[in-house]
Each structure stands twice: as structure tokens, then as C-alpha cells.
Amino acid sequence: MTNSDTPNKVLPNDSVGLVQAKSTQFDRELALDCGRNLPSFHLTYETYGKLNHDHSNAILICHALSGDHHAAGYHSIEDRKPGWWESAIGPGKPIDSNKFYIVCPNNLGSCKGSSGPNTINPESGKIYGPDFPIITVSDWVRSQAHLANYLGIDQWAAVIGGSLGGMQVLQWAIDQPDRLRHAIIIAAAPKLSTQNIAFNEVARQAIMSDPEFHNGRYYDHNVVPRRGLMLARMLGHITYLSDDAMRAKFGRELREGKLNFGFDVDFQIESYLRYQGKSFVDRFDANTYLLMTKALDYYDPASEHNNDLAQAMRSAKAKFLVISFTSDWRFSPARSEEIVHALLDEKKDVTYAEVEANHGHDAFLMPIPTYTEILTAYMQRVANEVKA
Amino acid sequence: MNLRTDLQIISDWIKPSTSVLDLGCGKGELLYYLQQQHQVTGYGLEIAEENITSCIQSGVNVIQLDLDGGLADFKDNSFDYVVMAHTLQAVRHPEQLLQEMLRIGKEGIVTFPNFGHWRGRLHLFLHGSMPVTRALPNSWYNTPNIHLCTIRDFEKLCHEQGIHILQRSVVNHAHRHSLGARILPNLLGEIAIYHFCKK
């Protein structure tokens, strides 16, 4: 897509430019891990670049907890911010839209266009709300495989994702071994730690104990559990940053230059967290937050293989790139190394890099030079293989 | 393709279609060569970020890892060869790493600069200061080499540790053979290359 019809503001040259979301309806039943079915579903997604003649240059991008299908580019010329992974996707960027056909779907259960709690249940004609079934990472893979079929993609050149997105990549490699050449797993873990689950539970309790939650039927009451969702996001945000990154950005800087001896905002970090929490409420849905954190908690591919991750990886055929970040304490390098060691035990093709970065878990979204170089080098390899 | 001569000697010792773990693999030249020429599979372990990128570019599987952190996560006898070129002298526990090499691999290959070479001996004798030579170009305070040894030291360690030396090659700094290094290796050899297994 081009920005030739945009006289006022010029979008950066290394951006995919103006993009539009697409949506596809699947009139078929999707069996879910929880035992329930979605009678039909739709997926919203964006694509960047062109599919080549033998359909070999397609890349699937899996989004993380609060992400969506808008991974790169701008929806309008007035957009202040581009897609969430603008640092990595675009012409000349590591995931190069001049070479690859890049697809980023919105996960089932999301609140940004794909079937989820805030869409209509075709069986009842009413909004799903809390009745939307619990979705697992495997369910996402299954739904994305249908999207691949629809787009005419037999095999992805690579499936790429960070955090919860990285878990989807891992599951793709396990569930659909023939349908991806490369699996790129960034800042992820093979399952959550007890501490991770504990954080998620506090976030969910914050939402569910909000008086305006109404057991998830807040849409019927024309309210949203703002305070709960805001708290959940504030907590999450703390865990995505590192101590160093927060200190570097805010220190103990005071908002008004003095202590107020009250419980209003004194420190800049407080003001920042409140802002992040509030703006999140405007763009995210509480039921989706509950669903996504549960999908994270439940994720554990080894559990179906005697708790042996290596055994779970046995069927995988992809070549793997695993990347972690030194200051990520939510999904520390040691968690990525669990994946790497399982792959080594099974003699899979795997490359692992631990990138020095002080940004915490959020590092995977940042244009950190070493990280960019590693991803670029690897994607060049992928491009050479598929002659992209 | 031109391969550094010490790596050429190592690759001659490695049988085709085997598996290799290369400790401190650098830019992955050896593994790349072995993959292309000998259908070898394997991984390189490396700590430096710039080398990781080079390995990725040449399609070598590389794992970023600090060898001083140990290799406990690698299974017993999971590789045919474990190679360590010009790294032994830079690790914290070389004696443990040698044992680890033979736990993980069926055979081991190491290369290291021979501290017993006459230039170093002469330098220390004449100047009374740590030698800086072609094979050991750093000053004592900024060298990555913290456990330098001579050919005699290494063979003594192998003997004590029950390591059986299969092959030895001693070459000059350009990794070329010479008659002198063959006759008086510990005095005239600059680089030592060993191929060994468990006794």
C-alpha cells in the first residue's frame, strides 16, 4: 500500500504505510480444547507485502496478550502511532515487507475484531460476554490454520511471535509441523511460572471485584469495570518493565517538585501507571483480558507428554530461532533456555540468542540494535531459502 | 574455500556425517565447513553477540552461552565430537570442561597456544615480563587467556584425568607444520592441536 494520496503528512519511508484490516468469516464449527464449539467464527487480520507466485514467502505474526492484528503501518494519516511491531515489520526492516507476505491475525477471544466476548453469538443473536468459551493457545493455532487455508498458504516461511505470541509459535511447531519452515520464539516460556500465574490472578481479581463487572455482563448495564481493568493493566505494566528501565525513565522524580503528604500522585511513575491504565480501559475489554490471561495460565505443551518438553517437541520439523532479553524477569532467559534445551535434546535445528537489554519484557518490541541484527540475519536466511 | 589451517587439521580428524558440538565456535567457520563438506550436523556455543550474527548468516546453529556456566544441560554421549578451538585457555575451569567434553561427546578435540614456545620463554628470560607474541597478542591485564599452559602441562593433565590422546599436531602461529615443531614440540610449536577420548 502507498501513501501517495496523503498530501498533508508524510508517513515514514520504512513503514508499510496506510493499511486496512480485513475480516473473514468461517462458516464452520471450530472444536475447542475446553470441550465447547464455536458454531462459526470470524478472524480480523492485516497483511503487508505481496504473496509470491508459489505462495512460499508468507510469514505469520502472532500477537501477545493485549496485542491485535494491527502490527505495522497506519490506519489513517492522522494516526499518532503505527502498529505494535512497527520496529520490526516494514520495507527494509528485519521482517521485510518487500520480500515477505506478512499476515497478522487478531486472536479469537480478542476485542479487536475477531470473534470474542464483545461480538454477537450467532446462536443467541446476543453479545457473547462471559459466555464466550475459554480459548487455548492450541485453539488459536487451529483457527489460524483455517486462515492459512483461506489465504492459500500451505506452509508459512516463518511463524513469529513474542511473549504469548511466542507460545503460539511453539504450539504451531508442535501441532502443525509441516506447515511452517521456521519458528521464531521471542521472550517466551514453555509455560508460566507460579509467580506469573499469581500476577495474572491478581489482575483477574482486580477486574472481577470491580462493582461494575456484573459477572461479565457489564455490556447489558452500559458500564465497564474501569477501575478493575485499570488496576490489572497497571500491575501488568510493572511486570513488563525492568527495575532499571523504570529507574532510568522516571527515577523518583516528583510530579509537582514536592511531596504532597497525601495519596494523590506524587511521583512520575504513579502518574505514568495511571495514564497507562486509563488509556488501556478505552481500548481493551475486561472479558478479553480475563480470557487471554487464562490462555496464558493454561499453556503447558509438556503436560500432554509426561511433563517432558523434549518429548512434546519430538514431532516438530521447523528450524527454530529463540531470543531472550537479559532484563526480562516476567519471561527470563532461563525460561527461553528451557525451550532451547528441549530442542537440543531432540537434535532440532535451533539458534539461541540472549540479547543484552535493560527494557525488561517489553524489549521484544524495541528496535535494539543487536536484536535487530540477529532478526535481520535470520530473516535473510529464511528469505534465501524460499527465494523471497 | 579457505579454512584457517588449525580448523583444516581438525576437520581432517572428523569423520563425515557425524555430529559436532563446537565450544566457543566464533563465527562458525568450522561448522559451516563441516556442514558443507562433510555433511556434519551440530551446534556452536558462543558468547559474543557479533559472532552469533555471523553464525546465523552462514546458517550455522548457534547457542549463545557462557562456557563458564557449565554444560550440565547437555546429555551424556550426545555428540560424536566436542571441539574447542582456542578457547581452553580462556575458561575458568579448563580441567572440568575437558571432562565435560568427554561426557557429552565420544571424542574431544582442542587447540591452544603453547606457552612453552621458545619466543615466550626468551621474552620472559630477557625482559622479565609477560610475553606478548603472535600467538598470544594481549597484555597480561587485558587478555582473555587466564589459564595458559604448555604442551607438557596439557599432556600431564590428560594423564592425570584419564584422557587418552589419539592424535597430536603441533604447528606454528600460521598453523603450518615444521620439522622443528615435530622434533621439539614444546619448544618450537606455537599452537597445539589434540584429539582425545576416554581411556
Side-chain angles (χ1 to χ4, degrees):
Chain A
M1 294 183 199
T2 64
N3 53 356
S4 56
D5 54 344
T6 54
N8 300 326
K9 186 180 153 190
V10 180
L11 297 176
N13 279 335
D14 63 351
S15 175
V16 294
L18 284 179
V19 293
Q20 252 186 339
K22 305 163 193 176
S23 199
T24 299
Q25 172 75 18
F26 296 89
D27 288 318
R28 52 173 302 154
E29 205 171 68
L30 185 71
L32 303 172
D33 282 345
C34 65
R36 291 172 58 192
N37 296 320
L38 284 179
S40 64
F41 63 100
H42 60 273
L43 289 178
T44 295
Y45 58 98
E46 285 183 9
T47 67
Y48 323 112
K50 284 199 182 81
L51 190 60
N52 62 8
H53 70 281
D54 60 354
H55 295 195
S56 64
N57 70 334
I59 304 280
L60 177 70
I61 305 288
C62 301
H63 74 70
L65 180 69
S66 61
D68 56 31
H69 51 280
H70 183 37
Y74 298 78
H75 281 162
S76 83
I77 198 72
E78 281 81 34
D79 263 4
R80 270 194 328 116
K81 279 187 177 174
W84 57 269
W85 217 9
E86 182 77 2
S87 65
I89 301 170
K93 289 184 184 169
I95 305 167
D96 193 338
S97 53
N98 289 332
K99 294 174 184 162
F100 297 111
Y101 176 65
I102 302 150
V103 181
C104 183
N106 188 216
N107 285 350
L108 281 179
S110 170
C111 49
K112 304 287 185 65
S114 292
S115 295
N118 67 349
T119 62
I120 301 291
N121 179 350
E123 285 181 331
S124 68
K126 287 185 189 156
I127 202 160
Y128 270 111
D131 298 331
F132 196 82
I134 297 273
I135 299 285
T136 66
V137 172
S138 284
D139 293 333
W140 283 329
V141 170
R142 225 167 291 137
S143 67
Q144 290 160 0
H146 287 304
L147 180 63
N149 295 345
Y150 170 78
L151 296 171
I153 296 156
D154 292 333
Q155 187 187 50
W156 300 101
V159 180
I160 309 175
S163 193
L164 178 56
M167 290 168 160
Q168 293 171 66
V169 179
L170 191 60
Q171 198 60 39
W172 259 97
I174 295 169
D175 288 350
Q176 307 275 350
D178 293 308
R179 297 200 72 175
L180 67 164
R181 295 179 70 94
H182 291 268
I184 301 181
I185 301 167
I186 306 168
K191 61 170 186 261
L192 289 197
S193 67
T194 319
Q195 188 193 42
N196 291 152
I197 295 173
F199 279 128
N200 283 347
E201 176 57 10
V202 175
R204 282 190 296 266
Q205 283 301 324
I207 292 170
M208 292 188 290
S209 59
D210 188 309
E212 298 195 310
F213 181 62
H214 299 288
N215 291 319
R217 303 204 182 274
Y218 45 88
Y219 317 94
D220 301 343
H221 296 77
N222 250 333
V223 289
V224 280
R226 298 184 65 87
R227 282 162 289 181
L229 187 55
M230 180 178 152
L231 279 179
R233 183 58 173 179
M234 286 169 77
L235 173 74
H237 224 82
I238 296 169
T239 70
Y240 304 147
L241 300 174
S242 70
D243 192 17
D244 282 347
M246 274 208 252
R247 190 182 307 120
K249 204 165 172 182
F250 308 104
R252 290 178 54 86
E253 203 180 315
L254 294 166
R255 191 134 170 266
E256 295 167 19
K258 62 179 175 67
L259 298 177
N260 288 317
F261 297 100
F263 296 108
D264 251 344
V265 166
D266 283 321
F267 297 97
Q268 285 293 5
I269 181 67
E270 296 172 307
S271 153
Y272 172 77
L273 284 177
R274 287 186 191 195
Y275 170 77
Q276 288 293 339
K278 276 183 190 143
S279 61
F280 189 62
V281 172
D282 297 331
R283 66 179 176 89
F284 216 75
D285 176 69
N287 280 322
T288 286
Y289 205 82
L290 299 180
L291 274 177
M292 296 279 167
T293 54
K294 267 293 174 194
L296 265 168
D297 290 359
Y298 286 166
Y299 189 62
D300 182 10
S303 65
E304 290 162 29
H305 297 88
N306 304 315
N307 290 314
D308 181 351
L309 186 61
Q311 203 182 316
M313 300 314 300
R314 199 157 292 162
S315 59
K317 292 181 182 169
K319 297 183 176 115
F320 292 81
L321 171 65
V322 181
I323 300 177
S324 69
F325 299 92
T326 50
S327 57
D328 182 353
W329 59 279
R330 181 94 189 216
F331 290 161
S332 71
R335 307 306 317 282
S336 287
E337 284 161 26
E338 290 173 32
I339 300 171
V340 172
H341 286 297
L343 293 168
L344 287 173
D345 281 353
E346 291 299 317
K347 303 256 160 135
K348 303 294 179 190
D349 276 295
V350 52
T351 280
Y352 170 60
E354 183 184 324
V355 175
E356 184 92 37
N358 63 3
H359 312 72
H361 186 56
D362 272 352
F364 84 93
L365 296 169
M366 313 272 178
I368 297 162
T370 313
Y371 172 39
T372 303
E373 271 169 36
I374 287 168
L375 201 53
T376 303
Y378 199 90
M379 291 313 292
Q380 185 55 52
R381 226 177 105 181
V382 176
N384 293 344
E385 270 184 37
V386 299
K387 297 179 178 62
Chain B
M1 162 183 178
N2 283 329
L3 192 64
R4 222 170 68 199
T5 323
D6 61 331
L7 300 182
Q8 183 64 58
I9 295 167
I10 293 173
S11 68
D12 289 343
W13 291 348
I14 289 174
K15 295 193 184 87
S17 305
T18 52
S19 61
V20 174
L21 182 67
D22 187 353
L23 311 184
C25 69
K27 297 187 188 307
E29 300 102 321
L30 176 68
L31 280 171
Y32 178 77
Y33 181 84
L34 291 171
Q35 276 171 213
Q36 301 297 315
Q37 305 293 322
H38 296 297
Q39 292 74 50
V40 157
T41 58
Y43 310 92
L45 307 187
E46 176 57 42
I47 191 165
E49 278 170 356
E50 60 275 21
N51 288 339
I52 303 283
T53 312
S54 303
C55 289
I56 292 172
Q57 279 161 348
S58 46
V60 165
N61 287 323
V62 61
I63 310 294
Q64 190 169 19
L65 187 114
D66 183 354
L67 294 177
D68 284 334
L71 300 172
D73 289 313
F74 288 88
K75 282 186 181 164
D76 293 2
N77 288 315
S78 47
F79 291 90
D80 294 311
Y81 302 91
V82 180
V83 177
M84 186 158 61
H86 279 285
T87 302
L88 183 71
Q89 73 280 2
V91 297
R92 199 173 291 271
H93 297 291
E95 80 292 8
Q96 289 172 15
L97 207 48
L98 283 172
Q99 291 295 337
E100 281 287 87
M101 287 175 76
L102 287 181
R103 177 184 67 77
I104 298 165
K106 298 185 183 91
E107 294 174 12
I109 296 171
V110 299
T111 79
F112 60 86
N114 171 31
F115 203 65
H117 184 253
W118 68 270
R119 270 182 208 280
R121 297 195 201 191
L122 187 66
H123 186 105
L124 195 57
F125 179 75
L126 289 177
H127 303 283
S129 63
M130 282 298 278
V132 176
T133 65
R134 289 171 300 198
L136 291 166
N138 308 87
S139 298
W140 65 272
Y141 51 85
N142 66 3
T143 176
N145 304 320
I146 55 174
H147 281 120
L148 290 160
C149 68
T150 70
I151 284 174
R152 187 171 295 167
D153 290 327
F154 182 77
E155 292 189 4
K156 184 163 171 274
L157 178 65
C158 287
H159 180 71
E160 285 166 7
Q161 295 218 340
I163 293 171
H164 176 61
I165 294 168
L166 294 165
Q167 279 166 296
R168 180 184 79 183
S169 187
V170 178
V171 294
N172 69 11
H173 73 280
H175 302 106
R176 298 201 195 291
H177 293 281
S178 72
L179 184 62
R182 219 165 294 161
I183 298 167
L184 290 169
N186 201 27
L187 188 65
L188 301 177
E190 284 180 88
I191 309 287
I193 309 169
Y194 283 89
H195 181 192
F196 52 88
C197 66
K198 278 165 270 207
K199 243 178 198 152

